[in-house]
Amino acid sequence: MTARSTMLIVDRAVKNSVARCTQGSGKHMGKLDNKVAIVTGGSRGIGAASALALADEGADVAISYSSSADQAKAVVADLEAKGVRAAAFQADQSDTAQAAGLIHSVVQQFGKLDILVNNAGVTVGGPIDSKLADESAFDRQLAINYTSVVAAVRAAFPLLPDGGRIISISSGVGTRVGFPGMTDYAGTKSALEGYSRGAARDLAHRGITVNVIQSGFVDTEMNPADGPAAPMFLSTTAMGRYGRPEEIAAGVVFLAGPQASYVTGAVLRIDGGYGA
């Protein structure tokens, strides 16, 4: 047998071995292989798109949901179809104890946690001088958008490995309030961004990065592109269209991946030019 024949046989054997491994696992090799991620509010919209995008890169993914159990079950099925481990956990993100408990539940089931995506959020509008203001709704918004994110980060950082990732979904309203009635919502997002910058400083010595994505107007159940407020929203953007959940998810994957290892304390705008 010639040297060339031997090389061809070895090359073919290696390729066949790789193919068998790929087929057996049901997943391709991705930049997030062997990572475990949790996406809060992952049963729909940006959260579901982010969970699926992380799975496309090989990550095992846990999602949380508040009440949409059927949607969460469907997302888990889609995740498992990609060949990764997946699970859904019910948690009320307005309750700091449940927000922190979610982190521990994920680690208990998956064995570890590498990536925390704080996506769950609500929007409560209304001018501060309105006599119709719902104070309890504003308090719940603050709890979900900020206080419980803090609780989740505090629960997660001792469990994250060096080089772990914390990514929070914010809004362009955090730095530019383009119209009236968004005072309290803007305050929660500004607080989230300030906290993330501080956490980036505190955790940098371990290589844990903490970043924020400022999302623009995205076509979701909460804010559909054909909704009554859409014309007003679109007039404030440079591109004049709603974003897609997958466009925000692409930013999540970037910040979760190895290419973003030197990015921390940053606010990544994916907003169609709302902040321009």
Side-chain angles (χ1 to χ4, degrees):
M1 182 179 293
T2 67
R4 177 177 174 78
S5 298
T6 302
M7 290 177 64
L8 288 172
I9 292 172
V10 171
D11 182 61
R12 188 178 300 114
V14 170
K15 288 180 178 179
N16 289 339
S17 177
V18 170
R20 285 194 299 271
C21 290
T22 302
Q23 292 168 0
S25 64
K27 59 189 280 191
H28 72 281
M29 297 296 289
K31 60 187 175 184
L32 298 177
D33 277 349
N34 301 315
K35 303 294 186 183
V36 173
I38 167 69
V39 181
T40 66
S43 63
R44 56 185 180 175
I46 294 171
S50 297
L52 293 167
L54 291 166
D56 281 337
E57 292 298 335
D60 296 324
V61 184
I63 63 171
S64 76
Y65 68 97
S66 176
S67 58
S68 51
D70 289 341
Q71 287 177 304
K73 184 178 179 180
V75 172
V76 168
D78 289 341
L79 291 167
E80 291 177 336
K82 295 178 182 294
V84 304
R85 293 185 298 158
F89 298 80
Q90 185 173 22
D92 180 356
Q93 292 295 132
S94 69
D95 183 333
T96 56
Q98 290 191 43
L102 170 66
I103 303 300
H104 294 286
S105 295
V106 170
V107 172
Q108 183 176 20
Q109 179 160 333
F110 285 80
K112 64 172 185 169
L113 178 66
D114 301 284
I115 303 161
L116 167 61
V117 181
N118 296 303
N119 167 75
V122 296
T123 304
V124 180
I128 59 175
D129 57 353
S130 172
K131 296 180 180 180
L132 301 177
D134 185 341
E135 297 296 335
S136 63
F138 285 135
D139 289 345
R140 182 172 181 272
Q141 175 180 245
L142 177 63
I144 294 173
N145 293 1
Y146 176 67
T147 311
S148 285
V149 173
V150 173
V153 170
R154 288 187 173 276
F157 80 78
L159 304 172
L160 287 170
D162 291 355
R165 300 285 193 267
I166 299 173
I167 304 161
S168 296
I169 306 300
S170 183
S171 165
V173 177
T175 53
R176 178 188 176 232
V177 184
F179 32 82
M182 302 302 292
T183 305
D184 286 83
Y185 177 70
T188 65
K189 294 304 185 180
S190 295
L192 172 62
E193 292 173 18
Y195 182 84
S196 297
R197 286 191 291 270
R201 289 279 185 180
D202 289 346
L203 300 177
H205 69 101
R206 290 184 51 203
I208 296 174
T209 65
V210 186
N211 292 292
V212 172
I213 292 176
Q214 272 194 0
S215 169
F217 302 110
V218 178
D219 186 14
T220 64
E221 290 181 26
M222 290 179 59
N223 184 23
D226 59 356
M232 177 184 69
F233 292 155
L234 293 180
S235 68
T236 66
T237 70
M239 297 189 73
R241 71 168 176 86
Y242 269 58
R244 300 185 303 274
E246 293 78 13
E247 292 176 305
I248 311 303
V252 171
V253 170
F254 166 68
L255 292 174
Q259 294 91 340
S261 58
Y262 197 56
V263 181
T264 196
V267 176
L268 175 60
R269 289 180 175 175
I270 309 178
D271 64 359
Y274 174 81

